[in-house]
Amino acid sequence: MQQDSLFLTSDEADKKRFLESVSKAAEAISKSYTNTRAFSGLKPEEVKDMVSGVELLPKEGIGFDKTMAKVEEMVLPHMLKVSSTDYMAHLHSPPLMESLISELILASGNQSMDSWDQAPVATEIEVDVINQLCKLYGMPDGSDGIFTSGGTQSNLMGITLARDWFCNESLKHDVKKFGLPKEYNKIRIYTSEISHFSVEKSAHLLGLGYNSVVKVPVTANQKMDVDKLGKIIADDIDNGLIPMAVIGTVGTTDYGSIDDLNSIADLCTKFGLWLHADAAYGSGLILSNTASNRLSGIERCDSITVDFHKMFLLPISCGAFFLKDSKNFSHLTLHADYLNREEDEEEGYTNLVGKSMQTTRRFDALKVWMIFQSLGKDKLSDTIDKTLGNAQYFYNKVNSDPNFQVVTVPEISSVVFRYFESDASDEKLDTLNKRIRRDLIHTDGIVIGQTIFDGKVFLKLTLLNPLIESENLDKLINVIKEKSNYNK
Ligand SMILES: *Cc1c(COP(=O)(O)O)cnc(C)c1O
């Protein structure tokens, strides 16, 4: 193969090389799906040994074919197969077939979303996708949004804008110009005790510290206890603290439980607080013809985190951040002569960098644009509903089996449970459940999750894959039971 094509250009030789390389790679990728296992089973040391010894930067390159051969030998076989029905561990989805093509298109074009002159059609598509998504989530006129790298960045944006809005409105202090106000260490952010750790990370990054995050207890069904939230806020005010924002979780990472946004929104209105919805997980429910009402109240939130690389089954990375009042994006905007001149906006050139924490940014909006049109609402709804049904099925099975304990009824597609024997101590059960999970990975190539509930080790299924059938779940239950015997 010709080696001197550096780029895909209008040159016929370059085009030929592009087609050949892509088809070679596509063939190697599909060949690597040799069985239904989620993982080859290698231990960490085995993977390390295999990987070490590759010279990263030889003086002379070995060429595409030999490099691909290495990829075929070392990388592809040991990648986790996320489309496997034996992969049920995390909020980590199989990417829909057609979205792989979107990735190829957006990588080939390499548009950068910071300014119109780096991404002309891509900018207008992102703007349009965002506008239509705002409507889909029922947000009012004047709302806006931006694509992000995922939930962590979207949460950081929500809490940043909450801080800047709150300090401007309530403390008459401009954080953008002057940094934190002097009473910064009295500011409080409320979120449930099982919310995502990016809330605390954000508080740290924003100079407010972990202490600013108040963990509100959850009810038995793993939702924020809103009565307690109201009492805690009132007590904090009495104690001279400064409540700023509430972060509601729409689909907790472990349980998929959904906080009652309407009741939380009432409290936020009463106390003058920003309400951010972390819907990184649950945002996908919007596609469901049967369950989208579980998102009720999301349209009342000041800002929303949406992840497309979870329930929407799109490749990493793909997320978005929505804002009820687009004016609040001004807290992030800074004009640079070399990038986003003010005159551009006046002349109709949109530079999206003004709404983003990133500068150079991927054209991830293309993935949503293509998949929504190609599959359509009903088909996407079916994929979501299948996963909700699977979670319900598995819950019913383990809930009625004395050899299992389960935490709560699933609201989305996650079930937290553990293998259980009434005469075994919690300590013994912890060890047993941990061993079952490790053994599943390395012996059976089945990957499931693990977490802690009530101080005890629990196992977790996150059922994002609509290919999973009840038989896969029945098999898993049997395998777990068999393993509990070997391990005694
Ligand atoms: C996954 C998740 C996040 C983080 O999103 P990333 O896309 O992984 O950055 C935040 N919040 C919740 C509830 C999540 O489940």
Side-chain angles (χ1 to χ4, degrees):
M1 188 185 284
Q2 203 179 329
Q3 289 299 333
D4 52 4
S5 287
L6 275 185
F7 307 111
L8 175 59
T9 71
S10 60
D11 186 286
E12 288 306 321
D14 291 341
K15 290 188 192 179
K16 186 159 174 278
R17 173 106 206 276
F18 175 72
L19 289 176
E20 280 170 9
S21 327
V22 170
S23 65
K24 240 183 211 175
E27 201 178 315
I29 294 166
S30 28
K31 254 183 26 201
S32 74
Y33 288 76
T34 51
N35 58 41
T36 60
R37 288 169 70 108
F39 182 52
S40 66
L42 288 195
K43 293 269 167 54
E45 320 84 72
E46 294 172 304
V47 182
K48 242 188 213 113
D49 285 351
M50 181 185 69
V51 169
S52 64
V54 172
E55 191 184 4
L56 178 65
L57 185 62
K59 186 161 171 358
E60 286 206 18
I62 58 175
F64 178 76
D65 287 354
K66 284 200 181 128
T67 307
M68 260 320 287
K70 274 197 192 172
V71 170
E72 279 183 73
E73 182 197 326
M74 292 171 44
V75 184
L76 292 173
H78 306 293
M79 281 216 204
L80 189 83
K81 299 294 187 291
V82 288
S83 63
S84 163
T85 50
D86 286 341
Y87 183 52
M88 309 176 232
H90 298 280
L91 283 165
H92 178 195
S93 64
L96 291 163
M97 179 89 77
E98 294 176 30
S99 63
L100 306 179
I101 307 306
S102 312
E103 283 284 352
L104 180 63
I105 297 170
L106 76 93
S108 312
N110 203 36
Q111 309 293 286
S112 184
M113 305 308 297
D114 31 342
S115 63
W116 199 93
D117 62 359
Q118 299 178 79
V121 69
T123 297
E124 302 301 348
I125 286 184
E126 174 162 340
V127 168
D128 198 64
V129 169
I130 288 287
N131 287 340
Q132 297 203 43
L133 284 167
C134 283
K135 291 209 178 77
L136 203 60
Y137 282 104
M139 301 188 78
D141 288 348
S143 56
D144 198 0
I146 190 83
F147 272 74
T148 66
S149 60
T152 304
Q153 190 184 44
S154 297
N155 283 347
L156 176 60
M157 288 182 76
I159 299 170
T160 305
L161 297 187
R163 180 197 66 180
D164 291 7
W165 166 85
F166 181 84
C167 290
N168 268 322
E169 296 291 315
S170 297
L171 307 178
K172 307 295 169 211
H173 177 89
D174 184 355
V175 178
K176 193 168 164 177
K177 246 192 213 141
F178 302 110
L180 293 175
K182 60 182 187 318
E183 45 296 54
Y184 75 92
N185 60 359
K186 297 200 170 119
I187 289 176
R188 290 294 177 270
I189 300 164
Y190 303 85
T191 190
S192 91
E193 59 184 329
I194 55 168
S195 73
H196 195 259
F197 71 166
S198 53
V199 174
E200 282 149 296
K201 267 194 185 175
S202 300
H204 163 217
L205 293 172
L206 293 171
L208 299 170
Y210 288 174
N211 278 350
S212 68
V213 179
V214 179
K215 298 293 192 71
V216 181
V218 290
T219 55
N221 53 6
Q222 307 302 305
K223 294 164 180 283
M224 190 192 290
D225 187 327
V226 184
D227 288 340
K228 287 201 177 126
L229 171 68
K231 288 196 189 89
I232 294 171
I233 295 173
D235 283 352
D236 280 357
I237 293 172
D238 286 348
N239 290 324
L241 298 172
I242 308 173
M244 172 182 96
V246 180
I247 318 297
T249 311
V250 183
T252 53
T253 309
D254 273 345
Y255 308 96
S257 45
I258 299 173
D259 288 345
D260 177 357
L261 292 178
N262 281 307
S263 307
I264 297 174
D266 291 343
L267 280 179
C268 286
T269 307
K270 177 174 162 196
F271 289 108
L273 313 183
W274 183 281
L275 173 53
H276 176 76
D278 177 1
Y281 183 2
S283 47
L285 288 172
I286 200 74
L287 296 174
S288 166
N289 291 331
T290 62
S292 62
N293 58 350
R294 293 178 202 173
L295 296 177
S296 166
I298 201 160
E299 70 289 346
R300 297 177 63 187
C301 297
D302 295 291
S303 54
I304 308 174
T305 287
V306 167
D307 247 351
F308 299 106
H309 55 218
K310 290 179 174 170
M311 278 182 94
F312 289 87
L313 308 175
L314 291 178
I316 301 164
S317 60
C318 201
F321 171 75
F322 293 96
L323 195 53
K324 189 160 79 182
D325 181 354
S326 66
K327 282 202 289 295
N328 285 306
F329 267 130
S330 66
H331 301 300
L332 285 180
T333 309
L334 191 63
H335 288 280
D337 294 334
Y338 51 83
L339 192 60
N340 56 339
R341 297 145 294 262
E342 287 184 66
E343 75 208 32
D344 284 0
E345 298 286 333
E346 288 155 19
E347 291 165 13
Y349 294 88
T350 305
N351 296 318
L352 288 176
V353 70
K355 295 180 203 165
S356 179
M357 289 206 159
Q358 293 169 258
T359 306
T360 304
R361 193 162 56 83
R362 288 161 53 89
F363 180 25
D364 290 317
L366 181 69
K367 296 184 277 196
V368 176
W369 192 78
M370 285 179 65
I371 276 297
F372 276 24
Q373 291 175 69
S374 179
L375 269 62
K377 174 90 186 308
D378 287 348
K379 193 152 192 182
L380 288 165
S381 171
D382 289 348
T383 63
I384 303 279
D385 287 356
K386 175 77 178 294
T387 64
L388 305 184
N390 278 339
Q392 201 59 54
Y393 178 85
F394 187 78
Y395 168 81
N396 290 339
K397 287 285 262 196
V398 288
N399 193 40
S400 57
D401 187 327
N403 276 131
F404 289 97
Q405 280 184 331
V406 58
V407 176
T408 184
V409 187
E411 276 186 281
I412 313 182
S413 47
S414 300
V415 186
V416 176
F417 67 101
R418 68 171 178 168
Y419 180 79
F420 179 75
E421 282 169 11
S422 52
D423 55 353
S425 68
D426 278 330
E427 207 180 2
K428 188 163 168 242
L429 288 171
D430 281 358
T431 313
L432 186 53
N433 278 282
K434 280 197 232 179
R435 252 199 258 142
I436 288 172
R437 192 181 79 95
R438 284 255 187 270
D439 204 40
L440 283 170
I441 298 181
H442 295 293
T443 313
D444 307 83
I446 298 176
V447 187
I448 67 170
Q450 179 186 314
T451 190
I452 297 284
F453 170 73
D454 196 19
K456 299 164 194 127
V457 171
F458 271 69
L459 303 172
K460 172 170 88 159
L461 296 195
T462 312
L463 299 164
L464 293 183
N465 186 344
L467 297 181
I468 294 172
E469 300 290 343
S470 48
E471 297 82 68
N472 299 106
L473 300 170
D474 293 342
K475 181 184 97 178
L476 178 67
I477 288 173
N478 291 335
V479 175
I480 290 177
K481 283 188 173 173
E482 276 167 29
K483 291 200 184 297
S484 68
N485 290 327
Y486 300 150
N487 282 320
K488 267 178 207 155

